[in-house]
Amino acid sequence: MTDVPPGWTPPGQQPPGYPPGPPSAPPAAGYAPPPGGPWFVPVHKPGVVALRPLRLGDLYDGAFQTIRRNPKAMVGLAFGVIALFMVVPAVLSLVLAAFGQLSFGSRLSGSGDPLGPLVATGAGYLGTLFGALATVVLNGMLVHVVAQAVLGRKTTIAEAWQATRGRLLRLVGLTLLNGVLGTVLLGVPVALGVLVGSTVGTAQGFLVGVPLLLAAVVLLVFLQVRFFQLAAPALVLERIGVFAALGRASRLSRRQWWRLFGIMLLTTVVVGVVGQILGIPFALAGGVGSVALSGTGGGLLLVFSTYASQIVVGAVTTPFTSAVVALQYIDQRIRKEGLDVQLIAASQGQPAEMR
């Protein structure tokens, strides 16, 4: 704190810009209050967000600003990565069609399921798997883009790849660990319910399985927010391992669980609604086309309309979701570790890292 004469008010206890002096002293000659009034607090904003604790509006505005200022490294990158990962299931679908295994006819449509051809051939499962892998890669690359956008810097696709390619295996490992955890937590109650239902009775199986399943869902949501939500940004930006990233996420989310959960729940709902709206034209094209066409043509149209929907929806929604998560990570470090000081130094050309 700046030294002031005895009896004078320190600068931090009066309006910003007001010269230090006795509590009753008027402003010095020539003093003019800062723009916005005497209580206006200026903030440092070199990039898409102000370097201070972020509110919900700041997070969403920062995510939109990052996409708007750098669409190639956000939407363009997401579109390219997801499309690239969809090449494998697309080729497989063509091979299956060539052998007559993707025909949309009475054999496959008899179940009444419009996604029957995808389920019957496995192409839908493979597309979902490769879409999930594409999201893992994107989350790592987009986190780096957002971190640079906070400093007011634009990132090219090549720079994002260069900065994150060494972290991709760890990101995949983090995702697999998350998937195994979810499978175990949700699978055990279902298995116990089925076991009790088959040995004792159906009613008893429900009485055992349903409460355990609900408890498992609650536990899974808690673990997701506490350990996994901020783990990917920590893994990429701090260049640490999988379990170290989980530990960092746990420390950053401590006493912030409800805030992190609420923001991500709202984000998931918003993104889900947008994704459903964007997917309507593709669903209509695939459904109507597969009914109008017969045989292999209808099956291919249904499959490729689904792939196209995944590419377009992912290219629009994944950048926003990844940006919100990255900004939440930065927000928690500002709140708990004073990261804003390092970011201000970095924005002014001084050496600083997010470690």
Side-chain angles (χ1 to χ4, degrees), residues 9-37:
T9 307
Q13 299 180 13
Q14 51 195 11
Y18 196 99
S24 59
Y31 165 77

Side-chain angles (χ1 to χ4, degrees), residues 23-197:
S24 59
Y31 165 77
W39 292 100
F40 173 76
V41 180
V43 293
H44 197 71
K45 187 179 180 181
V48 295
V49 294
L51 299 182
R52 54 168 171 76
L54 305 177
R55 298 164 295 185
L56 175 63
D58 299 322
L59 295 171
Y60 280 10
D61 182 67
F64 281 119
Q65 289 296 325
T66 303
I67 296 172
R68 185 182 67 83
R69 296 185 184 186
N70 205 353
K72 289 184 179 180
M74 295 294 286
V75 179
L77 178 61
F79 184 91
V81 170
I82 298 175
L84 181 63
F85 272 78
M86 286 297 165
V87 169
V88 173
V91 171
L92 178 62
S93 299
L94 291 174
V95 172
L96 292 172
F99 285 92
Q101 300 299 312
L102 203 61
S103 176
F104 188 82
S106 58
R107 181 174 63 87
L108 292 176
S109 61
S111 64
D113 183 2
L115 297 180
L118 291 177
V119 177
T121 62
Y125 293 110
L126 193 61
T128 301
L129 173 62
F130 275 78
L133 292 176
T135 302
V136 171
V137 175
L138 278 174
N139 285 337
M141 300 179 73
L142 295 178
V143 161
H144 177 76
V145 176
V146 175
Q148 294 301 307
V150 170
L151 299 175
R153 303 169 185 169
K154 293 188 65 174
T155 306
T156 65
I157 295 177
E159 291 172 342
W161 169 250
Q162 182 67 28
T164 57
R165 66 179 182 178
R167 319 305 299 168
L168 294 183
L169 288 180
R170 290 181 173 87
L171 283 170
V172 173
L174 180 66
T175 303
L176 291 177
L177 180 61
N178 193 4
V180 170
L181 177 66
T183 301
V184 171
L185 284 179
L186 299 180
V188 169
V190 173
L192 288 176
V194 172
L195 179 62
V196 172

Side-chain angles (χ1 to χ4, degrees), residues 67 270-272 274-275 278 310 312-323:
I67 296 172
V270 171
V271 167
V274 173
L278 292 176
Q310 291 182 13
V312 173
V313 172
V316 174
T317 59
T318 302
F320 180 76
T321 304
S322 298

Side-chain angles (χ1 to χ4, degrees), residues 284-311:
L284 290 176
V288 175
S290 61
V291 173
L293 298 176
S294 60
T296 302
L300 281 175
L301 180 60
L302 183 63
V303 170
F304 278 90
S305 65
T306 302
Y307 293 161
S309 176
Q310 291 182 13
I311 294 172

